[in-house]
Amino acid sequence: MLLKLETLSIRTKVFICTSATLAILLLLYVVIFNNLFMQIKNDAFSEYKLLSTLDHQVTHASMSTSKNIKKELEKITQLAKGHQQLTIKNGYTDEQPEFEIANNIVIYSDFYRQQRLEMEGLIASSEKNTQRLSEQLPITKLQLLNTIHQALNLAQGKANENLEKLFYYEMFSLIVLFLLMLFFAMYGINLVITPIIKLRKSIEDFQGGKHSQITEGDEIKLLIDSFFSMKNEIKQKQELLEEAVIQAQDANKEKSEFLANISHELRTPMLGILGFAELGLNKIDKVEKHKIVKYFDRIHTSGSRLLLLLNNLLDLSKLEAGEMHFDFEQALINDVLNSVLTELDALIINKHISIITDSPNDNIMVEMDVLRIHQVFYNVLNNAIKFSPEQGIIFIEVSQQKVITAGQAINTAIITIQDQGMGVPEEELDYIFEKFSQSSMTNTGAGGTGLGLSICKDICENHNASISIENLVKPKKGATFTIKIPLSQSN
């Protein structure tokens, strides 16, 4: 499988290149040292060559005629003495076998030369000596040749030993050279790579400590990737920041509208309370009793409205802080719903609203905080009444169904409340349950603070329930609220 260079780190790349370069240097080193080896071998074996020549010369002299025998014997003597001088030059002392053998070669070569010259009659000798020499000459020759062979074996052993040492020295020097070059190459690479790695780590730390899963490869490429990643993240954060600014501006606008609206809603009942109280105080002795009762009734109505607003604000702050306490108990949905309708009976009668209830099963039991679910029903029905026209109809349906939640079928109480009002603009359906959000329909005079539905949603979420709204299909007018509450475990 071929390596892809871009996936390799700079260390690996340089390591491969350095190793290849060193391998080539190693090859050249071996070639050069091989020539040196041959030179050293020739030098080391000069003794061996000299002894081989001496051995050959002794053999050749034994077969020579008396005509040139003197010259051949002189050559033997010269070679023997040359070997002796070479031995001394190589540092061998008289205590070493090499020197002793070299001396023996000189001695035996002198004996052999003298005996041969006497045999050939080139020097004076008695007849008796001639007969003796004929017996000793072969023995002297054999001793000379044996001594030469001993020297040859010894020289060859020494040469091989020196050659082996030189070979090990060469290998050791190669390894040391290779490691030194590799060390300095990697040290140089480290000097370059370390700042790059630190820079890349600093970029990743700048990105909030979000480190890349890819930690190996070309450091330069990884650094470039980190830069692009940082650039993209900065761009995304800038987009998120711009979006957050827009949302903050929208939220600020909604809060401003909410504050303006809530100020109006708080001031209106307060003015009503103060106005009718002042009017009653000024005319307490001048008007009939039924008018005084009417003043108190207006004061009570305004006070109730003011209390509702204050309760909504208090509930909102508790829900946002997570401090609202829920007391769960088993209760019937229809009992809570009927209690709300009774409480709203005055409003229903005042607008001549007809309430049509469809509840095939009056015994749907739910584990809930009765007070808070009562608050949800009250807010939704109050809205339905508020937005319904005079003599309108509100349809209420209570049923029990199995709803698939998280892949599981759960028995659920479903309460739908449908009015005949103006409905909610389609563009406002997605955020009608948000805090400080208020339908533009409140501008029609129906009033409202934009808190009721947001509180209803939070209460439902704390019951694992849900609340939603949808408009009726045109040409019908109105909206339908749907509340889904899981039944108690006993059901």
Side-chain angles (χ1 to χ4, degrees):
M1 184 177 178
L2 295 175
L3 289 174
K4 293 183 178 179
L5 290 178
E6 63 270 13
T7 63
L8 300 177
S9 68
I10 291 179
R11 282 193 181 94
T12 306
K13 290 176 181 178
V14 177
F15 180 81
I16 292 173
C17 294
T18 305
S19 300
T21 304
L22 290 175
I24 295 171
L25 289 175
L26 177 63
L27 181 61
L28 293 174
Y29 190 75
V30 169
V31 172
I32 293 171
F33 257 79
N34 185 56
N35 293 330
L36 292 175
F37 272 134
M38 295 305 296
Q39 185 65 40
I40 293 171
K41 184 177 179 181
N42 291 334
D43 293 341
F45 287 170
S46 60
E47 183 181 4
Y48 181 83
K49 291 179 182 179
L50 193 150
L51 289 170
S52 297
T53 305
L54 179 57
D55 180 75
H56 175 73
Q57 187 63 33
V58 172
T59 304
H60 185 264
S62 65
M63 297 183 293
S64 296
T65 61
S66 58
K67 184 178 181 179
N68 55 2
I69 188 61
K70 190 175 182 179
K71 185 178 179 181
E72 296 292 339
L73 292 174
E74 287 291 337
K75 193 172 183 181
I76 291 173
T77 302
Q78 291 175 1
L79 290 170
K81 290 181 179 179
H83 175 256
Q84 187 183 43
Q85 294 298 321
L86 183 61
T87 304
I88 295 171
K89 185 181 178 181
N90 289 337
Y92 296 112
T93 64
D94 54 0
E95 296 178 356
Q96 293 177 301
E98 289 85 356
F99 185 78
E100 184 181 352
I101 291 173
N103 283 341
N104 288 337
I105 291 173
V106 172
I107 293 170
Y108 286 134
S109 64
D110 284 341
F111 283 165
Y112 181 71
R113 175 176 173 276
Q114 186 176 356
Q115 289 174 0
R116 185 66 189 274
L117 288 175
E118 288 181 6
M119 278 289 297
E120 296 295 333
L122 296 177
I123 59 175
S125 177
S126 64
E127 186 175 334
K128 186 178 180 180
N129 272 343
T130 303
Q131 185 177 2
R132 181 178 54 81
L133 288 172
S134 63
E135 295 175 358
Q136 289 183 350
L137 186 61
I139 296 173
T140 303
K141 176 187 173 183
L142 183 60
Q143 288 175 334
L144 177 59
L145 289 175
N146 287 339
T147 306
I148 293 171
H149 291 161
Q150 287 179 10
L152 279 170
N153 291 333
L154 195 60
Q156 186 173 6
K158 281 289 182 181
N160 289 338
E161 183 181 346
N162 291 335
L163 195 60
E164 186 176 356
K165 287 181 180 178
L166 188 60
F167 175 78
Y168 286 133
Y169 170 75
E170 180 192 13
M171 290 297 103
F172 177 76
S173 64
L174 277 175
I175 292 170
V176 171
L177 178 64
F178 184 90
L179 292 176
L180 282 175
M181 291 184 68
L182 196 59
F183 171 77
F184 285 114
M186 295 308 294
Y187 178 75
I189 294 165
N190 226 31
L191 292 177
V192 176
I193 295 302
T194 301
I196 294 176
I197 293 174
K198 287 182 178 178
L199 178 59
R200 178 168 170 254
K201 187 177 179 182
S202 298
I203 292 173
E204 290 176 342
D205 290 339
F206 175 77
Q207 293 177 280
K210 186 177 71 175
H211 295 278
S212 172
Q213 295 180 350
I214 303 173
T215 56
E216 296 181 356
D218 191 326
E219 283 80 3
I220 300 295
K221 184 176 181 298
L222 291 175
L223 180 62
I224 293 171
D225 291 342
S226 295
F227 267 114
F228 277 109
S229 175
M230 181 177 65
K231 177 185 174 183
N232 293 334
E233 188 168 349
I234 290 174
K235 184 178 179 181
Q236 291 174 0
K237 287 183 177 178
Q238 186 177 1
E239 292 174 354
L240 290 174
L241 182 61
E242 291 174 355
E243 185 178 346
V245 169
I246 293 173
Q247 290 177 352
Q249 290 173 345
D250 292 342
N252 188 51
K253 182 180 177 182
E254 289 177 358
K255 285 186 179 181
S256 297
E257 292 175 354
F258 164 76
L259 289 174
N261 197 31
I262 198 69
S263 298
H264 173 74
E265 292 294 330
L266 289 171
R267 186 168 55 183
T268 300
M270 183 59 72
L271 289 174
I273 292 171
L274 294 174
F276 284 109
E278 184 180 355
L279 188 63
L281 287 172
N282 292 334
K283 296 184 177 182
I284 192 169
D285 297 326
K286 302 175 183 178
V287 297
E288 296 83 358
K289 183 179 179 179
H290 70 276
K291 287 189 177 181
I292 296 295
V293 171
K294 184 178 179 182
Y295 294 155
F296 277 110
D297 182 61
R298 296 287 180 87
I299 290 172
H300 178 268
T301 301
S302 296
S304 298
R305 184 178 179 186
L306 182 61
L307 180 63
L308 176 62
L309 289 173
L310 293 175
N311 283 335
N312 281 341
L313 288 171
L314 183 61
D315 288 343
L316 178 65
S317 63
K318 285 184 177 180
L319 285 166
E320 286 186 337
E323 295 177 354
M324 180 171 282
H325 180 68
F326 291 90
D327 293 319
F328 288 93
E329 59 178 301
Q330 300 286 333
L332 293 170
I333 287 289
N334 287 73
D335 288 350
V336 179
L337 198 55
N338 291 333
S339 173
V340 172
L341 290 173
T342 300
E343 193 172 331
L344 292 171
D345 190 55
L347 289 176
I348 294 170
I349 293 172
N350 188 44
K351 291 190 72 171
H352 306 288
I353 300 293
S354 298
I355 303 294
I356 299 177
T357 302
D358 181 12
S359 180
N361 185 359
D362 291 338
N363 298 315
I364 300 177
M365 185 77 70
V366 172
E367 188 174 359
M368 60 179 165
D369 184 322
V370 175
L371 180 62
R372 297 305 172 189
I373 294 299
H374 180 283
Q375 186 177 352
V376 172
F377 291 162
Y378 184 93
N379 273 317
V380 174
L381 281 168
N382 187 44
N383 274 341
I385 295 168
K386 185 165 55 177
F387 286 101
S388 291
E390 293 281 340
Q391 299 181 351
I393 301 174
I394 295 176
F395 298 93
I396 302 174
E397 181 181 356
V398 180
S399 62
Q400 177 180 329
Q401 297 178 17
K402 284 192 175 183
V403 176
I404 305 298
T405 304
Q408 196 174 22
I410 298 176
N411 287 325
T412 305
I414 300 177
I415 303 96
T416 60
I417 299 172
Q418 178 183 316
D419 61 50
Q420 293 179 330
M422 298 299 295
V424 179
E426 293 294 329
E427 64 274 11
E428 297 177 7
L429 286 173
D430 292 336
Y431 58 87
I432 195 69
F433 291 102
E434 292 182 6
K435 296 175 182 66
F436 311 120
S437 178
Q438 196 173 352
S439 172
S440 58
M441 292 302 168
T442 57
N443 296 330
T444 61
T449 61
L451 293 178
L453 293 180
S454 174
I455 293 171
C456 290
K457 181 183 178 183
D458 287 340
I459 292 173
C460 287
E461 287 176 352
N462 279 278
H463 282 76
N464 293 322
S466 66
I467 182 170
S468 60
I469 183 174
E470 60 180 356
N471 290 321
L472 298 180
V473 180
K474 293 181 179 181
K476 292 182 179 180
K477 289 184 179 182
T480 301
F481 279 88
T482 303
I483 302 167
K484 297 180 181 178
I485 309 173
L487 300 186
S488 59
Q489 295 297 324
S490 60
N491 290 345

